[in-house]
């Protein structure tokens, strides 16, 4: 400490002395810091006046800043500054800037979309965002679907129909595909084996001729398959039963199987346990009518799987 | 006025004064909220029945599993009133929607998406498959696999868990009078689910009829967690309410 004492300076001390010689320098704050501090105090007073700030019992000071927005009924309202009113105004402003396009979406009949390049561009970009947020989790980001879970939306095969109206109905009300175990019929292991052979032969697989013959009989008879899949096995879009003749598989992963035996096993598994997991949640209530129409056009026109009939 | 030197030389006194100084910020910001009218919005149907209800026994067990597995470390449950959030997730969260959450799951860190309105967005089948193997549904996901959720759910202590929540103010009913009051507040169907003596029976019934894990025969942790996820953010029917009515609360 003796060395410290020898370096006397002109800086003032606080006047406190400990242990006889321990002192505290009193260095004043830099002027820029001090003035910045005063400025923040002045700012806080301005803030109290402008925005909601001080609690007063069961209420609070509202501030003098106001926000003007339209309520759900379109009536203009002015209120004190609040994040909720600000959001309503933000959403209305955003809506206003896209109004031109959403008005066009609402007013344009489905088949006219492709003829308007500006509207097509809007559907391609805005539809992609809505699809990514709400559809891609099951149908995947490109609409390619997922084996044994969600159908491909880019091909020409549609369980419930690929017209604009049918797609819109699927999105709005959701879908729930059901196949009873063993088709609801009383089938033994061998009969299911024969049916699987027959079903695979429908889409061009080379199968055992004897089993195909037995399966054919079961399909159109005791197996009750035609009740849903139809006598020509081409399915029925009114009830969402699959077309079994088009080489497109959703629940039995036939294309991934290397051998005929494994293909039979995959189809047998579906026939044996039936299906009850083809559930698409209804988007009605979650999405607006405009968003659903946008998605319908996106799925039909942009993903490219839509059909005319 | 206490002398400067006295405080600096008395560590006990300095500790007390420091605590008072630093608690002022918290007291000024938090305590008034307990007295403000409308901190928790009152959302009711036209018939006066409350829209937001406490969780059913199965959903409550699902919430316990959500917390056990640390879902909150990556997922928030709080949609803030900003344009980008409301465009992506839906209507901003109301304070009323987490009034029966102890502790609430608002969170402040999103590695995965916000889950405040995930209910009914996906099918039960999707939730089950996604919890078992997230990357099988969303290839770019970084969420861990939770295959062990398909094990049996411990239902033995569900009544005790509801009793504990009742002590914190959640209106689970322990007797006839409380049950009758819940019928008035929430309607008969909900009140039945909130009755503690029937908790285990209600839980098993909901799991078996709901088939959340695709299997009616057993009651698994998956049943509970999916039941919880499917109810998140679905209690308030915003189509029946004027958005305008929430502005005055803030």
């Amino acid at each position: 400490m003796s060395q410290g004492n020898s370096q006397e300076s002109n800086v003032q001390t606080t006047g406190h002395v400990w242990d006889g010689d321990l002192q505290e320098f009193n260095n004043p704050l830099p002027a820029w810091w001090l003035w910045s501090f005063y400025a923040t105090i002045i700012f806080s007073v301005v803030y109290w006046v402008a925005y909601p700030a001080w609690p007063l019992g069961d209420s609070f000071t509202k501030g003098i800043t106001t926000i003007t927005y339209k309520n759900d009924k379109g009536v203009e309202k002015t209120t004190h500054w609040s994040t909720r009113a600000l959001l309503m105004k933000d959403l209305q402003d955003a809506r206003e800037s896209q109004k031109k396009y959403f008005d066009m979406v609402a007013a344009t009949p489905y088949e006219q979309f492709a003829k308007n390049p500006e509207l097509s561009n809007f559907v391609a970009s805005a539809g992609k965002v809505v699809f990514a947020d709400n559809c891609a989790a099951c149908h995947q980001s490109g609409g390619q679907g997922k084996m044994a879970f969600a159908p491909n939306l880019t091909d020409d095969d549609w369980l419930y129909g690929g017209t604009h109206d049918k797609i819109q109905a699927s999105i709005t009300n959701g879908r729930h595909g059901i196949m009873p175990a063993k088709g609801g019929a009383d089938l033994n292991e061998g009969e299911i084996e024969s049916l699987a052979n027959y079903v695979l032969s429908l889409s061009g697989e080379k199968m055992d001729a004897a089993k195909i013959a037995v399966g054919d009989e079961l399909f159109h008879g005791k197996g009750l398959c035609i009740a849903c899949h139809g006598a020509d096995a081409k399915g029925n879009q009114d009830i969402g039963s699959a077309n079994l003749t088009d080489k497109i598989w959703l629940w039995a992963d036939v294309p991934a199987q290397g051998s005929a035996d494994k293909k039979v096993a995959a189809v047998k598994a579906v026939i044996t346990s039936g299906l009850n997991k083809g559930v698409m949640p209804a988007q009605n209530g979650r999405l607006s009518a405009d968003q659903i129409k946008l998605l319908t056009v996106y799925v039909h026109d942009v993903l490219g799987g839509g059909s005319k009939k | 006025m206490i002398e400067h030197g006295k405080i600096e030389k008395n560590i006990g006194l300095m500790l007390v004064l420091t605590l008072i100084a630093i608690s002022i910020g918290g007291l000024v910001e938090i305590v008034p909220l307990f007295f403000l009218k409308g901190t928790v919005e009152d959302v009711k149907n036209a018939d006066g029945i409350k829209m937001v209800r406490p969780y059913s026994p199965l959903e409550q067990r699902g919430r316990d599993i959500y917390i056990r597995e640390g879902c909150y470390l990556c997922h928030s449950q709080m949609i803030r009133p900003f344009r980008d959030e409301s465009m992506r997730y839906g209507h901003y969260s109301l304070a009323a929607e987490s009034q029966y959450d102890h502790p609430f799951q608002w969170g402040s860190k999103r590695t995965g998406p916000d889950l405040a309105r995930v209910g009914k967005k996906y099918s039960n089948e999707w939730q089950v498959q996604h919890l078992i193997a997230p990357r099988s549904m969303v290839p770019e996901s970084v969420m861990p696999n939770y295959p062990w959720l398909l094990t049996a759910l411990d239902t033995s202590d569900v009544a005790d868990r509801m009793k504990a929540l009742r002590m914190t103010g959640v209106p689970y009913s322990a007797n006839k009078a409380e049950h009758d009051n819940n019928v008035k507040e929430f309607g008969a169907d909900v009140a039945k689910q909130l009755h503690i003596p029937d908790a285990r029976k209600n839980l098993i019934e909901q799991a078996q009829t709901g088939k959340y894990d695709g299997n009616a025969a057993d009651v698994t942790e998956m049943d509970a967690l999916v039941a919880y996820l499917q109810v998140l953010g679905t209690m308030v029917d915003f189509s029946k309410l004027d958005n305008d009515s929430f502005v005055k609360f803030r």
Side-chain angles (χ1 to χ4, degrees):
Chain A
M1 272 302 143
S2 60
Q3 208 177 1
N5 280 342
S6 69
Q7 289 179 340
E8 282 297 332
S9 68
N10 297 325
V11 181
Q12 285 189 331
T13 70
T14 55
H16 304 160
V17 181
W18 286 272
D19 289 350
D21 61 350
L22 204 54
Q23 299 183 53
E24 217 181 325
F25 281 146
N26 182 15
N27 283 307
L29 290 161
W32 68 264
W33 193 98
L34 206 58
W35 285 109
S36 306
F37 179 61
Y38 293 148
T40 61
I41 292 174
I42 292 165
F43 173 78
S44 72
V45 175
V46 174
Y47 191 97
W48 298 340
V49 176
Y51 296 104
W54 288 100
L56 299 168
D58 63 3
S59 181
F60 51 91
T61 61
K62 313 270 177 180
I64 58 170
T65 320
T66 60
I67 294 176
T68 303
Y69 64 94
K70 286 201 191 85
N71 71 5
D72 292 351
K73 295 182 186 75
V75 180
E76 205 159 88
K77 284 200 164 188
T78 300
T79 171
H80 67 273
W81 191 94
S82 107
T83 46
R84 294 178 172 186
L86 191 63
L87 173 69
M88 288 187 80
K89 187 172 169 350
D90 267 3
L91 288 174
Q92 277 153 13
D93 291 350
R95 190 105 185 127
E96 206 59 40
S97 68
Q98 293 181 322
K99 189 175 186 305
K100 179 183 154 198
Y101 295 106
F102 273 106
D103 282 354
M104 280 204 303
V105 168
T108 309
Y110 280 127
E111 59 276 12
Q112 299 293 323
F113 272 80
K115 292 174 188 156
N116 181 342
E118 199 186 2
L119 191 54
S120 295
N121 282 338
F122 178 70
V123 170
S125 55
K128 187 175 183 179
V129 174
V130 183
F131 188 89
D133 265 354
N134 298 287
C135 316
C138 295
H139 293 287
Q140 308 294 293
S141 51
Q144 72 272 35
K146 185 162 177 53
M147 180 53 76
F149 202 88
N152 188 337
L153 302 177
T154 67
D155 62 17
D156 289 335
D157 187 42
W158 290 88
L159 287 168
Y160 294 91
T163 63
H164 283 111
D165 289 341
K166 292 280 177 60
I167 294 172
Q168 188 188 21
S170 296
I171 299 172
T172 306
N173 303 319
R175 296 291 188 188
H176 187 173
I178 293 173
M179 167 171 155
K182 299 174 191 174
D186 184 19
L187 300 172
N188 64 33
E189 182 77 17
E191 288 170 327
I192 293 172
E193 168 103 16
S194 301
L195 263 178
N197 274 268
Y198 172 69
V199 167
L200 283 160
S201 78
L202 290 175
S203 53
E205 299 283 343
K206 295 261 176 297
M207 310 307 295
D208 183 293
K211 285 179 182 164
I212 292 173
V214 178
D216 192 347
E217 187 135 326
L218 287 164
F219 191 91
H220 294 92
K222 183 185 164 196
L224 306 177
C225 310
I226 57 169
C228 295
H229 291 285
D232 58 0
K234 290 197 169 159
N236 178 354
Q237 292 186 343
D238 289 339
I239 55 172
S241 59
N243 182 345
L244 302 174
T245 66
D246 60 3
K247 297 190 186 180
I248 292 174
W249 299 91
L250 176 57
W251 299 105
D253 193 1
V254 171
Q257 310 306 326
S259 68
D261 283 352
K262 284 183 181 163
K263 288 178 183 176
V264 170
V267 176
K268 268 174 74 177
V270 173
I271 300 175
T272 307
S273 58
L275 295 169
N276 192 19
K277 46 185 185 172
V279 179
M280 164 149 168
Q283 302 300 310
N284 193 10
R286 288 195 65 251
L287 300 178
S288 70
D290 284 351
Q291 283 175 310
I292 290 178
K293 188 165 182 188
L294 188 68
L295 274 177
T296 303
V297 180
Y298 182 79
V299 170
H300 186 283
D301 296 8
V302 181
L303 294 181
S307 61
K308 290 211 168 72
K309 56 178 173 50
Chain B
M1 213 47 206
I2 304 171
E3 278 269 329
H4 194 248
K6 262 191 195 152
I7 302 173
E8 290 186 0
K9 287 170 192 167
N10 185 339
I11 192 67
L13 180 62
M14 184 145 101
L15 197 68
V16 170
L17 292 176
T18 308
L19 282 175
I20 291 172
I22 59 177
S23 62
I24 287 172
L27 291 170
V28 166
E29 289 187 25
I30 297 165
V31 172
L33 291 174
F34 290 106
F35 298 99
L36 289 183
K37 258 193 286 183
T39 295
V40 178
E41 309 86 349
D42 193 18
V43 276
K44 285 180 175 166
N45 284 309
D47 55 5
I49 300 291
K50 286 184 176 172
M51 285 188 175
V52 182
R53 58 166 174 82
Y55 298 108
S56 74
L58 184 68
E59 291 155 8
Q60 182 56 45
R61 286 296 285 122
R63 209 185 104 89
D64 293 340
I65 290 162
Y66 183 94
I67 294 169
R68 182 192 77 191
E69 300 296 349
C71 305
Y72 59 85
L73 291 165
C74 292
H75 293 284
S76 58
Q77 287 185 22
M78 163 54 77
I79 303 166
R80 296 170 290 180
F82 303 143
R83 181 182 160 194
D84 57 332
E85 299 215 356
S86 71
M87 297 286 277
R88 175 166 179 191
Y89 297 120
H91 197 284
Y92 55 79
S93 297
L94 301 178
E97 291 179 285
S98 40
Q99 63 182 311
Y100 301 124
D101 282 16
H102 296 281
F104 62 76
Q105 298 295 311
W106 300 340
S108 55
K109 167 78 172 74
R110 288 179 187 156
T111 300
D114 187 275
L115 298 181
R117 300 217 183 278
V118 80
K120 309 254 169 77
K121 181 172 183 179
Y122 306 115
S123 62
N124 294 342
E125 291 75 14
W126 186 89
Q127 292 288 6
V128 171
Q129 175 65 30
H130 180 257
L131 282 162
I132 296 168
R135 266 160 303 285
S136 71
M137 300 311 294
V138 185
E140 61 272 34
S141 172
V142 295
M143 184 169 131
N145 301 339
Y146 294 91
W148 55 83
L149 293 175
L150 282 172
T151 50
L153 177 72
D154 178 6
T155 60
S156 60
D157 57 357
V158 62
D160 289 340
R161 287 168 187 265
M162 288 164 77
K163 275 181 207 153
L165 284 165
R166 181 170 165 271
M167 288 169 72
T168 68
V170 181
Y172 289 123
S173 57
N175 53 48
K176 177 114 190 354
E178 287 175 359
H179 176 265
D180 290 347
N181 192 48
N182 279 344
V183 172
K184 257 181 262 158
E185 299 251 301
F186 302 104
D189 290 347
V190 172
K192 182 174 157 265
Q193 288 285 335
L194 307 183
H195 202 45
I196 295 175
D198 298 336
R200 196 151 173 273
K201 186 181 76 124
N202 285 335
L203 182 152
I204 292 167
E205 193 181 295
Q206 190 186 351
Q208 289 181 340
T209 53
K211 284 188 259 183
Y212 298 95
D213 64 355
N215 184 350
D218 55 4
V219 180
T220 61
E221 293 185 340
M222 188 68 88
D223 276 316
L225 185 55
V226 173
Y228 171 63
L229 290 172
Q230 291 291 31
V231 82
L232 281 180
T234 63
M235 290 182 195
V236 175
D237 183 354
F238 287 97
S239 69
K240 288 190 184 143
L241 297 165
D242 196 340
N243 249 319
D244 205 24
S245 58
F246 303 123
V247 169
K248 63 176 183 287
F249 295 116
R250 296 292 181 271

